[in-house]
Amino acid sequence: MSEAPAFLNVEASLTGRRWLGPDIETERQAETMAQQTGLAPALCRTLARLGVTAMDAPSYLEPSLRDLLPDPRSLRDMEAAATRFLQAAQSGQRIAVFADYDVDGGTSGALLIHWLRELGYPVDQRATLYVPDRIDEGYGPNAPAIAELAANHDLIVCVDCGTLSHDALAAAGDTDVVVLDHHLGGETLPDVHAVVNPNRQDESGDLTHLCAAAVVFLMLVEVGRQMREAGNAGPNLLNLLDFVALATVADVAPLIGVNRAFVRQGLKVLAQRRHAGLVALADSAGMDGPPTSYHLGFLLGPRINAGGRIGKADLGARLLATVDPQEASAMAAQLEILNRERREIENLTRDVAMDQAQTRLDAHTPENNQPAALAWAADDGWHPGVVGIVASRMKEATNLPAIVIGFDGDGGKGSGRSVSGVDLGHAIQKLVAEGLLEKGGGHKMAAGLSLTRAQLEPAMIRLEELLAKQGAGLGGPAALKLDAMLMPGAAQTDLVAKIESAGPFGAGAPGPRFAFASQKIFFAKRVGESHLKISFGDGMGPRIDAICFGAFDGAIGPTLQNHNGALFHLAGRLEINRWQGRESVQLRLEDVAEA
């Protein structure tokens, strides 16, 4: 089959990508859907691209948590975990929550703390929220911390970690441990009271898309069921969905199935400003207007992560768990400062890492016509808190799985990010089993690892072999897929509102991307360190404002700022910009090609 012609004849944009338009079959399905349902054509195109049929469109547009929520008992060990947690809560036993230092871990821990508090459990006197330090303790449970918690508590609940922590959890001794996790499990599980994890090897695989906070939420659903069966009423779980929504988006869980309902309903709860920590964080980030999945992933999430990355590890989790507005405001201000520092550290690391990775890719010699299947970089002094973000940027720039490692002495800690269809977590676990890494684990799209300097080169060579077998590197530069071409006059707020009704958009359910052909740049200004704000139009209709984040990290910023009257094809996603009570359409600019 011959390759489809490039959309607007763009074979290589300013970011090196080929533009692809909608396929004919999707257009036909959209037309049929519009005729059968009466929905707006633009909305039907979005639904058809997402694989939604005309029959399923009504339920997709209004995802019901009642209809989509899986039976918690379908997960192994769920009943045992819920029973033990409920027993500890109702009898006033001392409970320790051991949480990972990222957003998923922090929200998971906060979920349990808020639920206990609403139950009437004396949280301040009998509960401990423990988050390990990324630098000193590393990811997941460690024996000293678990032993100390076990000596002072009756139950330890590990959230967003613990599935691979056999030795560390053995340090709990006779104290019961419950693990609520979603990271890829090994062939054996820790010898603890319960391990609830949809990514256990003996699970069906139907719920692998859940983040840890969603697993915690399902356990609380099961706890509520057990309470009702005993004639008791528990806390209202729906009021906690803002935490689940934040974790789902920030952990880049695919927005499919019940995850869509979690985020859709969670955004409504977030808009009610129920929880002091999230209110303070939203105000600190300058959130304006109704919350969206963008706010979760790009405003709130990075600020919570900043504490675990370069500051006090438990700051984000404590912010989410507090009910004191003044305490929340002070912690949000700390996180705002840390997030700015994190960006500065990230920028310094990214520039060096990208140059190093590109040098390796340029020197790559294909074997058996196999292109490079891995981008990686390693150096001394890179902060462990930013290597994951830099790996994500590297993955986006190369369309390859990416690993970034920072060394301190002989030991190195790294993070990896993968591309669609390539299971990085499984490959990392295989390296650990082969003795090529000291530690490692994760899930399909992200992983962490520890290694020595002597292990570095052999591990990266072997990892690239494993990833190549999964098809990494065969796709070349990622094509930019576009849903339609629009004239500026058609980009109205009512169109954007209709499209947004198919949301939330994110991983696994990307929002529509539009092209504007042969546009004139009327205004271009650099904002912040590397962003660009422009105003464009075709001279026949209204002008549209656009923002391009990171524009000056590549060719887009300099080219549009020095446009000299040239015309450009612009591509991106439409959104409603709210400012001082007024609404206007804005393009989140993603790519540019000379017209």
Side-chain angles (χ1 to χ4, degrees):
M1 184 178 296
S2 60
E3 189 177 43
F7 195 69
L8 293 176
N9 296 317
V10 177
E11 294 288 351
S13 67
L14 293 186
T15 63
R17 291 183 284 187
R18 189 173 190 267
W19 288 11
L20 294 178
D23 63 83
I24 296 176
E25 183 57 32
T26 299
E27 289 287 283
R28 288 173 178 166
Q29 292 172 359
E31 291 177 7
T32 301
M33 186 184 301
Q35 295 170 358
Q36 294 178 350
T37 64
L39 295 172
L43 175 57
C44 291
R45 278 196 295 270
T46 300
L47 293 172
R49 177 176 51 78
L50 294 172
V52 180
T53 65
M55 181 181 299
D56 294 333
S59 60
Y60 188 89
L61 293 173
E62 292 295 336
S64 165
L65 191 60
R66 181 186 301 273
D67 295 335
L68 294 171
L69 191 71
D71 182 353
R73 294 181 184 178
S74 66
L75 289 171
R76 296 180 183 273
D77 280 5
M78 179 62 86
E79 286 186 76
T83 300
R84 183 65 186 92
F85 181 75
L86 179 58
Q87 177 194 14
Q90 290 181 326
S91 62
Q93 290 184 339
R94 296 165 300 175
I95 301 173
V97 179
F98 190 106
D100 187 23
Y101 39 64
D102 69 357
V103 176
D104 198 11
T107 51
S108 296
L111 271 170
L112 294 178
I113 296 298
H114 280 289
W115 188 92
L116 287 168
R117 187 182 285 118
E118 292 182 27
L119 185 71
Y121 177 93
V123 168
D124 295 336
Q125 291 78 39
R126 303 192 67 77
T128 298
L129 177 57
Y130 187 95
V131 179
D133 184 87
R134 181 189 292 263
I135 306 298
D136 297 334
E137 299 175 86
Y139 166 78
N142 60 87
I146 293 297
E148 183 175 348
L149 291 173
N152 297 286
H153 297 82
D154 304 291
L155 173 66
I156 300 173
V157 184
C158 294
V159 293
D160 197 29
C161 58
T163 301
L164 297 175
S165 304
H166 298 71
D167 295 339
L169 295 183
D174 295 332
T175 300
D176 285 337
V177 176
V178 167
V179 172
L180 305 174
D181 196 8
H182 74 129
H183 291 91
L184 191 63
E187 294 182 2
T188 61
L189 296 170
D191 184 15
V192 296
H193 187 80
V195 177
V196 184
N197 186 337
N199 283 293
R200 280 174 49 159
Q201 291 197 10
D202 56 353
E203 281 289 0
S204 66
D206 295 337
L207 299 176
T208 57
H209 55 285
L210 297 180
C211 67
V215 175
V216 172
F217 184 84
L218 287 181
M219 189 201 71
L220 294 176
V221 171
E222 172 59 22
V223 169
R225 174 164 29 185
Q226 294 184 15
M227 293 183 69
R228 289 192 300 274
E229 290 172 351
N232 301 315
N236 185 347
L237 291 179
L238 296 181
N239 291 339
L240 299 175
L241 281 174
D242 45 0
F243 295 113
V244 184
L246 173 57
T248 298
V249 174
D251 216 53
V252 203
L255 298 185
I256 58 176
V258 70
N259 281 353
R260 289 195 67 247
F262 281 148
V263 176
R264 187 75 166 258
Q265 301 304 318
L267 287 170
K268 295 178 182 178
V269 177
L270 184 62
Q272 296 168 5
R273 295 169 66 87
R274 287 180 172 271
H275 296 110
L278 289 174
V279 169
L281 200 65
D283 291 345
S284 176
M287 274 180 54
D288 186 23
T292 66
S293 55
Y294 169 80
H295 294 130
L296 298 179
F298 293 95
L299 291 185
L300 302 187
R303 285 166 170 79
I304 296 170
N305 270 333
R309 292 191 186 282
I310 64 170
K312 189 168 176 54
D314 64 353
L315 187 57
R318 288 194 295 115
L319 168 71
L320 296 173
T322 189
V323 291
D324 183 337
Q326 289 186 328
E327 182 182 40
S329 180
M331 288 190 286
Q334 284 183 270
L335 287 171
E336 188 70 33
I337 295 171
L338 288 172
N339 193 48
R340 287 197 293 269
E341 292 178 5
R342 186 270 306 167
R343 284 199 294 262
E344 294 173 2
I345 297 171
E346 174 197 337
N347 290 338
L348 292 173
T349 305
R350 183 192 61 207
D351 292 343
V352 178
M354 290 297 297
D355 287 344
Q356 191 184 121
Q358 191 59 55
T359 299
R360 285 197 180 89
L361 292 174
D362 291 342
H364 176 79
T365 303
E367 297 181 12
N368 301 320
N369 295 319
Q370 171 64 47
L374 173 69
W376 67 274
D379 211 338
D380 292 314
W382 285 349
H383 199 293
V386 303
V387 292
I389 307 175
V390 175
S392 181
R393 303 286 186 265
M394 188 178 293
K395 182 251 323 189
E396 292 167 1
T398 62
N399 196 34
L400 293 171
I403 300 286
V404 178
I405 301 165
F407 277 96
D408 181 8
D410 188 54
K413 295 180 179 179
S415 286
R417 299 293 184 269
S418 192
V419 295
S420 179
V422 178
D423 189 338
L424 180 61
H426 183 269
I428 291 293
Q429 279 195 11
K430 189 169 180 60
L431 262 64
V432 174
E434 294 175 358
L436 292 172
L437 297 175
E438 290 188 326
K439 290 173 56 179
H443 46 81
K444 290 183 179 180
M445 301 303 291
L449 56 98
S450 298
L451 76 173
T452 65
R453 289 183 186 274
Q455 290 176 318
L456 178 61
E457 291 286 347
M460 294 301 101
I461 292 172
R462 177 60 173 150
L463 180 58
E464 183 161 19
E465 291 176 358
L466 294 173
L467 297 178
K469 290 179 180 178
Q470 295 189 45
L474 296 178
L480 190 77
K481 296 181 180 179
L482 295 150
D483 289 72
M485 185 172 71
L486 285 182
M487 303 291 285
Q492 301 294 323
T493 54
D494 61 339
L495 171 69
V496 180
K498 289 175 182 176
I499 292 171
E500 286 183 349
S501 68
F505 298 119
R513 185 183 286 119
F514 297 101
F516 294 84
S518 301
Q519 300 297 304
K520 182 178 180 180
I521 308 301
F522 292 99
F523 167 84
K525 179 183 179 181
R526 186 171 188 155
V527 292
E529 293 181 2
S530 62
H531 312 318
L532 176 72
K533 190 169 182 61
I534 67 169
S535 175
F536 69 90
D538 57 10
M540 296 181 288
R543 299 178 184 182
I544 297 179
D545 291 332
I547 183 76
C548 183
F549 293 107
F552 287 91
D553 294 335
I556 291 179
T559 301
L560 293 188
Q561 191 175 43
N562 304 301
H563 56 81
N564 293 323
L567 301 181
F568 297 91
H569 301 322
L570 309 175
R573 306 183 195 276
L574 292 174
E575 59 188 11
I576 296 177
N577 184 36
R578 297 174 174 87
W579 175 251
Q580 296 182 340
R582 292 177 293 179
E583 293 185 347
S584 62
V585 173
Q586 176 176 272
L587 179 69
R588 191 171 296 277
L589 184 63
E590 296 180 46
D591 205 1
V592 176
E594 296 180 359

